[in-house]
Amino acid sequence: MLTEKEIADKVMVREHLARISLTSEMSVQDTEAYKEEIKSLLKANDACLVAHYYTDPVIQALAEETGGCVADSLEMARFGKHHEASTLVVAGVRFMGETSKILSPEKTILMPTLEATCSLDIGCPEQEFSAFCDQHPDRQVVVYANTSAAVKARADWVVTSSCALEIVEHLMDQGQKIIWGPDKHLGRYIERETGADMLMWNGSCIVHEEFKAKGLTDLKAVYPDAAILVHPESPEAMVDLADVVGSTSQLIKAAQTMPNDTFIVATDKGIFYKMQQAAPGKQLIEAPTRGNGATCRSCALCPWMAMNSLERLAAVLRNKDQEIHVDDALREKALIPLNRMLDFTASLRR
Ligand code: 13P
Ligand code: SF4
C-alpha cells in the first residue's frame, strides 16, 4: 500500500512529466504503440538503447525499461563500450554516437537522427582548431567531449564536465599549460577553480547561455530556501549564484543528497525526469532563461536533443539508415585521448 505522501509524489512527478514531455502531442495510444514496437525491434536487432538525460522522458523511460541506460555523456560512453549488444542506439547528439563508435568499432551505432548536433561541435571546426593548437605546441590540448571525432583526434585529452576539474588539476600537477576547447564558460570555470594556465577557444552552448542571472536572483527571492544547481556551461554570473556547479549526474546527485526541499536548476529541462526520480517529493524549478529585454532561443531545451523522437527511434530500428561511421585512421587517433579520460576516471573510482 502506498502512503499518502508516496501517492502525492507520484502525482507530482506525473504532472511534471506532462509539462516537460515533448511527445505530449502524441496520443497515449500512439505513444504506447511506438513503445511496444521499439521494444520488439530492440530485441530483434540485438540492440541496446543508450540515452542522455536531456532526451524526452519517454525515451529515457524506454531505455530504463529495456535494460539500456540513461546517463551523462561520460557514463553513456562507458556503458556502451562494455555492453554486450551488437548494436547501440544512441539517443543524444552526434558526438555521443561518434564517441560510441570510436570506443566500440565492432558495434553498429545507430542514432534516431544524424542531424542532431551541438553548438559546441559546430563552433569548433577541426582545421581552425588545429591551426590554433599548432600556434602553441608547448601546451597540452584538452577538448570537451562535445566535439567531432576529428577534433578529438587532434587532442591530448578528452574530458566531460564530470571529470574536467580533476583532469586539469592532474595536468597542472605535471606543470602543463593547456589549450582548452571549445566551451569558454566551462573553461573559465575550470580555470577559476584550478588556477591553471589555459588558452580558450571561443565556443559556447546555445542552451546554457540563455540562463539569466538577473532572473535567477529574482526567483531566489521568491524561494529563499531553494538551492541553486548550475551546469558549468552557463555564464559566469549564473555560476556565481550557484550552490552547486556540476555535470548533469553531479546535479542529480546534489538534488538527491542536499537537505533542501526546493531546487532551482539551470540546465536542459529533460534532466527533471531522472532528478525527480532521485529526489521524490522535492520541488524542482527551471532557472529562468529570459532576462530583461532578452530573447529566448532555447528556453532550457536543447533543440538537437529534442530531435530524438519516438517516431525517429522506431524508424531507425526499422531502416538502419542513420548509422554512425568514423574513418579508421581518425578513429585510432581519437581513441587515444578518449581512453586516457576513461582510464583516468576509472583510477579515481578505485
Ligand atoms: P554532460 O556531460 O553533463 O552529460 O553534459 C553534456 C552536455 O551536452 C551538456 O550540455
Ligand atoms: Fe550541445 Fe548545449 Fe545541446 Fe549540450 S545542451 S548538446 S552542449 S547544444
Side-chain angles (χ1 to χ4, degrees), residues 199-220:
L199 276 186
M200 307 289 177
W201 186 256
N202 187 14
S204 60
C205 160
I206 60 158
V207 180
H208 290 86
E209 271 213 321
E210 294 290 339
F211 290 113
K212 300 287 182 264
K214 166 76 174 72
L216 181 57
T217 309
D218 295 346
L219 194 59
K220 174 76 180 172

Side-chain angles (χ1 to χ4, degrees), residues 227-230 243-263 265 271 275 278-279 282 284:
I228 297 174
L229 310 180
V230 174
D243 295 294
V244 173
V245 180
S247 69
T248 45
S249 46
Q250 289 161 351
L251 298 185
I252 290 172
K253 185 112 196 131
Q256 185 178 32
T257 53
M258 287 174 76
N260 307 58
D261 290 325
T262 306
F263 294 86
V265 185
I271 202 173
M275 196 175 261
K282 295 191 180 180
L284 308 176

